[in-house]
Every structure is written in structure tokens, then in C-alpha cells.
């Protein structure tokens, strides 16, 4: 099966339609273990398990690995989540994204399926509480006062 090929702009447009404007809310699905991880989850995992960037003299940021590595690679062995699969490895992709200014496309995991709303107590998809991430910003009940929905 040939990988899906799209431009960076097409990827961003699809992600924004599915998850909203903020990349930290976007989610990719590992094609090996099917784990779904958001940018926020990667950001938190890298804060707990920092590592140095191979090229630049700085710590790895979620945007460096998000959509290209399974979160299990960042969380480490025994985390109970994810695997070590990478989109840029021996078995690439399954998506290819054409990046402006690059000769070759980069490989990427596919975007995760769109979240099902109102699965979490009727919260708006842009609400900070969705997924239990933060305080409710859409005035819907939270797990603390809605029986854990």
C-alpha cells in the first residue's frame, strides 16, 4: 500500500478541522500500536523525560517528535503505554508530508480520528477540560461534579 502524501498546509488544515486551531490539541495515532497521543501529552512527557536534540543545542520539544514518534519512545520502557515505533525508521510513514523548502517529504503518523463529542459530559471540543486536561472553559460539568463522565 502506498503512503498518503499531502502538503504541510493540507495536514494543518485537516488537523485544525478535526482538533481545533492549537497544535498542542492535535492528536496522531501510532500505526504500530494504535496509541493516540496529543501534543499536550508529548509536551508533558518530555517535561518528565527530557532529552537533547541531536542537531540543535537544546532540549527536544513536542513539535520535534509529535506525529513522528510513538509516545512510548518518550515515556520509556515500562510506562504501560505506546511503543518505540517512529515514522522515519526502517518502515516509514505511513503518511508523507511535503514541507516547503525541503527536497524530500518527511514521514508522519496519521492524524487520530476526530474526538467524539459530547462524549465527555457535553464539553465543547475547544474546552480545556476535554480529556481531563484542565479547568472547564465552556461551563459544562466536570468529572468532579458530573459523576466522572
Amino acid at each position: 500500500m502506498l503512503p498518503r502524501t499531502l502538503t504541510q498546509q493540507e495536514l494543518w488544515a485537516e488537523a485544525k478541522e478535526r482538533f481545533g486551531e492549537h497544535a498542542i490539541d492535535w492528536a496522531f495515532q501510532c500505526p504500530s500500536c494504535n496509541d493516540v497521543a496529543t501534543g499536550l501529552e508529548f509536551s508533558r512527557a518530555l517535561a518528565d523525560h527530557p532529552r537533547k536534540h541531536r542537531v540543535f543545542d537544546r532540549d527536544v520539544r513536542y513539535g520535534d517528535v509529535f506525529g513522528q514518534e510513538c509516545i512510548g519512545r518518550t515515556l520509556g520502557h515500562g510506562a504501560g503505554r505506546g511503543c518505540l515505533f517512529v515514522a522515519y525508521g526502517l518502515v516509514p510513514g505511513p503518511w508523507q508530508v511535503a514541507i516547503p523548502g525541503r527536497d524530500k517529504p518527511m514521514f508522519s503518523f496519521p492524524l487520530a480520528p476526530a474526538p467524539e463529542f459530547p462524549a465527555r459530559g457535553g464539553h465543547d471540543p475547544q474546552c480545556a477540560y476535554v480529556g481531563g486536561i484542565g479547568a472547564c472553559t465552556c461551563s459544562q460539568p466536570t468529572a468532579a461534579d458530573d459523576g466522572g463522565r
Side-chain angles (χ1 to χ4, degrees):
M1 178 170 79
L2 292 174
R4 179 178 176 195
T5 302
L6 60 166
T7 66
Q8 185 178 35
Q9 293 78 17
E10 290 169 333
L11 174 65
W12 288 358
E14 191 172 327
K16 287 177 181 179
E17 180 180 321
R18 206 175 282 192
F19 304 107
E21 290 291 319
H22 306 289
I24 204 156
D25 297 328
W26 301 352
F28 287 87
Q29 185 168 18
C30 176
S32 179
C33 71
N34 292 317
D35 186 271
V36 172
T38 66
L40 182 60
E41 290 172 309
F42 263 97
S43 182
R44 289 179 175 169
L46 286 164
D48 291 341
H49 307 278
R51 63 187 207 237
K52 288 292 181 189
H53 197 284
R54 291 183 187 182
V55 177
F56 305 109
D57 186 27
R58 62 170 172 78
D59 286 340
V60 171
R61 300 174 188 147
Y62 85 92
D64 297 328
V65 295
F66 183 48
Q68 291 190 293
E69 295 184 2
C70 185
I71 197 162
R73 192 172 192 88
T74 298
L75 293 173
H77 181 71
R81 177 172 181 198
C83 66
L84 301 178
F85 193 79
V86 294
Y88 52 82
L90 184 61
V91 179
W95 285 11
Q96 292 184 38
V97 182
I99 308 292
R102 289 185 61 161
D103 293 337
K104 295 180 181 180
M106 63 178 264
F107 289 100
S108 172
F109 290 176
L111 289 170
E116 295 180 22
F117 295 101
R120 299 250 184 194
H123 292 274
D124 181 278
Q126 299 305 312
C127 177
Y129 178 72
V130 171
I133 295 170
C136 178
T137 57
C138 71
S139 302
Q140 293 295 319
T142 63
D145 56 16
D146 73 355
R149 279 189 284 162

